[in-house]
Amino acid sequence: GDLRVGTVTARVGDRIAADAELYDVTSTTQVVDANIKLSDQKLAVVGTTVTIKLPDAKTTTGTITSVGTPTEKSSGSGSGSGSGSSDSKERVIPITVTLTDASATANFQEVSVTVDLPSQKREGVLSVPVGALLALSPDQYGIEIVAPDGTTRKVAVSVGLFAGGRVEVSGEGASEG
């Protein structure tokens, strides 16, 4: 199949043994390599679908295809010499994400992206934009329901998961539409 040649280790005229390495190759499939904090390791599960924010402000999705073992990564902004350096080590877990739609990154060779790992997922819930929440009292939220005739009424709701500018709501009189 198609391969991308990386580092060439053999030179023209070299004597090569039967099992000698000639060059490194990689797949032509673009992947995202990322490091996540050790504290987020429960989110790094092979098969999890993630959202990838690209440099052109577009997003695409991918699937975690491998999770490595924890390693130490240098972090901080120290100068690297003398005392007072603020470099520190943090434990991270390397992950590899395979893109769902390879054409989304066809124009990129090597770029920085942001990988959003879902921490919780809810299906079949009613959600509204966060801005739709009303403070009915210091400890109670509500939403405003618009009837087909244009009249409105306020309904008390319980809130659930917040994500992507939306909030899960439930309550008597709150329903889809």
Side-chain angles (χ1 to χ4, degrees), residues 11 15 17 19 32 37 40 42 59 63 72 83 98 126 138 144 148 161 169 173:
R11 307 244 186 268
R15 291 183 162 238
D19 290 334
V32 174
K37 294 178 184 175
D40 291 332
K42 68 179 183 290
T59 60
T63 303
E72 285 191 0
S83 61
T98 300
L126 178 63
E144 194 167 20
L161 184 66
V169 294

Side-chain angles (χ1 to χ4, degrees), residues 118-137:
S119 59
Q120 290 185 3
K121 184 177 182 178
R122 299 269 178 30
E123 293 185 16
V125 299
L126 178 63
S127 72
V128 297
V130 172
L133 286 179
L134 304 171
L136 300 179
S137 69

